[in-house]
């Protein structure tokens, strides 16, 4: 999990790197079963062979975003500090991801905004790479993050 860091502890330019994860066929089957996402492009190898530039079943974009969220929780979301996913901007799926590919994500803090006395918003540039070093997903991700409490129980301003 991420370190116990309040909004004030994060520094613009700071980078956090996730662990790597191999996406295997069981991941795709489980995701499809849980989400009822059963598109032929994710499940039918014969169908995919006929599609130029695809060739075999691809991992669904929503599956990749869920995996990135898991990485986010492990390396960015502070332990014991209230945090909430605030949303995505500019999501780009740049390269196909296939079963057997290994992915990891780098989160770089590009902006901090004080929202109120209790929370701030952290904005990250997020790049997910495959085993060949290609960026497969790019997005801007935002996290509501708890602010440091003052001695009197209120938060810093």
């Amino acid at each position: 999990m991420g370190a116990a860091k309040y909004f004030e502890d994060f520094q613009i330019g700071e980078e956090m790197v996730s662990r790597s994860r191999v996406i295997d066929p069981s991941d795709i089957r489980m995701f499809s079963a849980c989400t009822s996402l059963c598109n032929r492009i994710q499940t039918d190898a014969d169908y995919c062979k006929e599609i130029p530039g695809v060739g075999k079943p691809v991992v669904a974009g929503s599956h990749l975003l869920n995996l990135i969220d898991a990485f986010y929780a492990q390396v960015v979301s502070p332990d014991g500090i209230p945090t909430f996913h605030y949303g995505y901007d500019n999501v780009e799926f740049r390269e196909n991801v296939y079963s057997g590919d290994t992915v990891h994500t780098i989160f770089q803090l590009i902006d901090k905004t004080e929202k109120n006395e209790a929370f701030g918003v952290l904005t990250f540039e997020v790049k997910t790479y495959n085993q060949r070093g290609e960026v497969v997903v790019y997005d801007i991700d935002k996290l509501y993050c708890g602010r440091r409490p003052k001695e009197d129980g209120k938060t810093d301003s």
Side-chain angles (χ1 to χ4, degrees):
M1 291 291 202
K5 292 171 70 172
Y6 289 95
F7 170 79
E8 293 80 7
D9 299 326
F10 286 91
Q11 302 299 316
I12 291 179
E14 179 177 357
E15 284 189 354
M16 288 144 272
V17 180
S18 76
R19 64 183 177 84
S20 294
R21 176 128 180 8
V22 176
I23 300 173
D24 65 37
S26 64
D27 294 325
I28 296 166
R29 285 193 299 276
M30 289 295 292
F31 186 81
S32 295
C34 291
T35 61
S36 297
L37 180 67
C38 297
N39 296 319
R40 290 177 71 189
I41 199 163
Q42 276 95 39
T43 59
D44 187 337
D46 291 331
Y47 172 76
C48 291
K49 287 178 189 173
E50 303 301 320
I51 302 172
V54 175
K56 57 185 178 178
V58 297
V59 177
S62 54
H63 185 169
L64 291 169
L65 288 176
N66 277 276
L67 182 59
I68 293 165
D69 282 348
F71 288 158
Y72 201 69
Q74 292 170 350
V75 300
V76 176
S77 289
D79 286 342
I81 296 171
T83 58
F84 308 93
H85 189 247
Y86 195 54
Y88 302 107
D89 288 327
N90 306 322
V91 177
E92 300 173 11
F93 298 100
R94 295 184 175 178
E95 299 289 336
N96 290 335
V97 176
Y98 301 100
S99 176
D101 281 354
T102 301
V103 296
H104 76 279
T105 300
I106 298 176
F107 303 90
Q108 183 178 26
L109 185 63
I110 59 172
D111 192 32
K112 291 173 61 170
T113 306
E114 294 178 3
K115 197 69 172 169
N116 56 41
E117 288 185 8
F119 290 96
V121 177
L122 302 172
T123 303
F124 292 90
E125 180 181 63
V126 180
K127 294 179 183 176
T128 299
Y129 296 86
N130 63 17
Q131 68 276 10
R132 292 177 297 283
E134 300 166 322
V135 176
V136 295
V137 181
Y138 172 89
D139 73 272
I140 302 297
D141 214 335
K142 297 183 179 187
L143 178 73
Y144 240 51
C145 182
R147 297 190 64 198
R148 184 178 304 286
K150 290 184 179 179
E151 292 286 324
D152 61 8
K154 296 182 180 179
T155 56
D156 280 338
S157 341

